[in-house]
Amino acid sequence: MDKNLDLVSIHKNYEYSSPYQKIGKVYANKGMVFEVNLSRAPIGSNVEFVTEFGDRSLGEVVGINGTRCMAMPYDELSGINSETRVYLKDLTTTIKISEAMLGRVIDFQGNPIDGKGPIEPVNVEARSIYGQPLNPLERPPIKEALDTGIHAINCFMTAGKGQRFAIMAGSGVGKSVTLGMIAENSSADINVIALIGERGREVLEFIESDLGPEGLKRSVVIVATSDTSALIRMKAAYVATTIAEYFRDRNQQDVLLMMDSITRFAMANREISLSAGEPPGQKGYTPSVFARLPKLMERAGTKAGAGSITGVYTVLVEGGDMDEPIADAVRAIADGHIILSRELASRNQFPAIDVLASLSRVMSKVASREHKIVASHLRDLLASYKANEDLINVGAYARGSNPKVDKAILVYDDLMGLLKQSQGMTEFLSIDVLYDRMVEIARKAENVK
């Protein structure tokens, strides 16, 4: 192609949706971010990079530097130089949402990527992906339990509709499998699943194996794999939350929003902020990361006159450190946390939920008084067994030394059997049936002589 090709001939048919109709040029680049002399371009507005050879890539304004803006393209774009034009397109970032998205797999712009054709425009609504914060007084208290299909959660950390849960674990302990089991078997009306920063190999595997055909029918899956830009990974999380809000508001449905993982959302934010020149803080995370986490997670919950969004966010902890910055921040925002134990996983105990380290802050509001009493009693027995586990395993514990430990030994296998679930199993016990099983185990413990 002629390098001296007139730029006007490339852009003459370009149509602008922005009232400013601004055109700028690349001034300099700093890592993945480019300085552009595009005045009056607000942060968050959409831009389009067009090289002198006609290659194009959408992008977004992520910062301001004096009279110039800092813009980041969504895709790798070769040939960017000082003659690359940058067009201001939209002043806000919106997405068109349709009820026909159910059962589909989409990207961060709402475009289908599952090969099933275009999404039909059924009850289409355009929404800003950044949403509007709810008035705290318009958030009714959480009073109704949500059946997650996970026995350990239903028994000892009962979830409520509108709650926000953090599933915390290191790599390879079963976070995605646990999410798939919840999506397939929960009592929620609709699932919105955001796969943020996942390996490309795992996406289809999650949809076919973990989620399954039945789970996909009532789900919307948003995908932004690890090889996409940080901007796409960040925006996919906002898009998923916006879609969940659409179904909550439109049909007053109980929506289950699952994000795997919130840590990669934070990492994408860190990547963008550092490129824009923001100084690093704890473990390289910039202050804006910790400001954006509550803005994203607070959008889940109950809403007066509408349905609810129950948020389940996985947290990938580094080296099993449950107190690292992102894990600590998410745990403070969430209404409960579930710890997955590598030790339990090594024993083939799945889901590998550490009951003693996990809790739900709303269980006292959604579970019956009797359920809470029995759960507290069994948790106490489990704690007694764990405290003496080494002595029991080596045969050094003498029966009769501690009545509580004697009871714990008697019912430990029954309790672990109740909590163990195999992936793909068809029998999931309801909360009421689980309560009856818990009562049976508690009565068996009281029969120790």
Side-chain angles (χ1 to χ4, degrees):
M1 180 177 289
D2 184 3
K3 293 184 178 180
N4 297 319
L5 183 65
D6 186 3
L7 291 176
V8 176
S9 65
I10 296 176
H11 310 305
K12 62 182 179 180
N13 295 322
Y14 194 89
E15 295 182 359
Y16 304 93
S17 56
S18 165
Y20 296 106
Q21 298 189 3
K22 288 285 186 178
I23 306 175
K25 284 188 178 182
V26 170
Y27 177 78
N29 85 296
K30 297 180 179 179
M32 298 173 295
V33 174
F34 295 88
E35 279 194 34
V36 182
N37 60 344
L38 197 61
S39 61
R40 300 178 68 184
I43 293 177
S45 57
N46 289 336
V47 296
E48 183 170 21
F49 292 80
V50 183
T51 69
E52 59 182 320
F53 305 110
D55 296 328
R56 296 169 179 254
S57 174
L58 292 174
E60 184 174 316
V61 176
V62 297
I64 302 295
N65 184 13
T67 59
R68 300 186 180 92
C69 69
M70 311 290 288
M72 177 182 288
Y74 291 142
D75 304 309
E76 292 285 342
L77 188 61
S78 60
I80 292 182
N81 57 24
S82 59
E83 292 299 318
T84 297
R85 296 292 183 97
V86 181
Y87 293 83
L88 179 62
K89 295 192 65 180
D90 305 297
L91 297 183
T92 57
T93 303
T94 60
I95 182 174
K96 293 182 179 180
I97 309 173
S98 167
E99 290 187 358
M101 284 183 170
L102 280 176
R104 303 301 298 270
V105 183
I106 62 175
D107 64 10
F108 78 108
Q109 293 177 309
N111 300 319
I113 60 173
D114 52 10
K116 298 179 180 178
I119 296 176
E120 296 180 6
V122 181
N123 295 326
V124 177
E125 183 177 334
R127 290 193 174 208
S128 168
I129 66 171
Y130 298 111
Q132 293 292 331
L134 286 177
N135 185 329
L137 299 183
E138 293 181 357
R139 292 177 177 268
I142 298 172
K143 297 180 179 180
E144 189 175 351
L146 175 73
D147 189 341
T148 62
I150 304 295
H151 296 173
I153 299 176
N154 290 345
C155 288
F156 293 101
M157 55 216 75
T158 310
K161 293 180 180 179
Q163 183 177 4
R164 291 160 302 177
F165 255 123
I167 300 180
M168 307 171 66
S171 58
V173 187
K175 297 185 297 298
S176 298
V177 173
T178 303
L179 277 186
M181 294 172 69
I182 295 174
E184 188 175 6
N185 301 283
S186 77
S187 60
D189 300 317
I190 290 174
N191 303 316
V192 178
I193 305 169
L195 302 179
I196 311 297
E198 284 292 293
R199 304 176 187 90
R201 174 189 63 82
E202 293 181 333
V203 173
L204 185 60
E205 182 178 313
F206 174 84
I207 294 172
E208 292 185 349
S209 301
D210 298 337
L211 185 58
E214 293 302 316
L216 181 60
K217 286 181 181 178
R218 58 190 182 103
S219 303
V220 182
V221 182
I222 300 91
V223 176
T225 53
S226 58
D227 58 341
T228 57
S229 73
L231 205 51
I232 290 177
R233 281 177 271 139
M234 181 189 73
K235 293 187 73 172
Y238 288 115
V239 168
T241 306
T242 305
I243 293 173
E245 290 173 333
Y246 167 85
F247 285 106
R248 176 197 64 187
D249 298 341
R250 185 170 189 86
N251 299 322
Q252 299 188 3
Q253 293 173 310
D254 295 316
V255 182
L256 185 61
L257 170 63
M258 290 174 282
M259 193 172 295
D260 187 14
S261 70
I262 193 73
T263 304
R264 293 191 176 101
F265 165 80
M267 288 178 175
N269 273 273
R270 175 176 63 180
E271 197 173 327
I272 295 168
S273 300
L274 291 175
S275 297
E278 188 176 354
Q282 302 180 62
K283 287 197 174 183
Y285 288 102
T286 57
S288 62
V289 173
F290 300 99
R292 285 172 178 154
L293 281 173
K295 288 181 180 178
L296 177 69
M297 297 178 64
E298 281 288 344
R299 291 168 64 181
T302 57
K303 180 180 178 181
S308 65
I309 299 177
T310 303
V312 181
Y313 305 89
T314 66
V315 181
L316 178 63
V317 297
E318 299 178 5
D321 181 11
M322 298 297 171
D323 296 320
E324 58 96 19
I326 297 302
D328 196 47
V330 172
R331 185 168 49 228
I333 300 167
D335 305 311
H337 56 271
I338 299 170
I339 305 297
L340 300 186
S341 166
R342 194 175 299 276
E343 179 185 356
L344 289 176
S346 66
R347 298 179 185 179
N348 197 35
Q349 177 76 31
F350 290 103
I353 296 176
D354 187 342
V355 171
L356 298 178
S358 306
L359 64 87
S360 168
R361 294 191 178 103
V362 305
M363 182 176 178
S364 60
K365 305 292 191 304
V366 299
S368 66
R369 178 176 177 274
E370 294 78 10
H371 187 146
K372 289 182 287 186
I373 292 174
V374 175
S376 177
H377 178 58
L378 293 180
R379 185 187 285 262
D380 193 23
L381 293 180
L382 185 58
S384 298
Y385 185 93
K386 289 294 183 182
N388 295 272
E389 188 171 17
D390 291 339
L391 293 176
I392 296 170
N393 289 338
V394 300
Y397 174 77
R399 184 174 180 179
S401 301
N402 187 325
K404 186 181 292 186
V405 177
D406 292 342
K407 295 177 182 180
I409 293 173
L410 180 64
V411 300
Y412 181 76
D413 289 339
D414 294 331
L415 193 54
M416 290 297 102
L418 178 64
L419 302 181
K420 185 175 181 178
Q421 294 173 270
S422 300
Q423 184 183 3
M425 68 180 294
T426 57
E427 182 186 1
F428 286 86
L429 305 180
S430 66
I431 295 178
D432 292 336
V433 174
L434 285 171
Y435 168 72
D436 293 337
R437 296 282 184 91
M438 293 167 66
V439 170
E440 291 177 7
I441 294 174
R443 286 175 177 169
K444 180 178 180 180
E446 295 305 313
N447 292 331
V448 174
K449 297 180 180 179

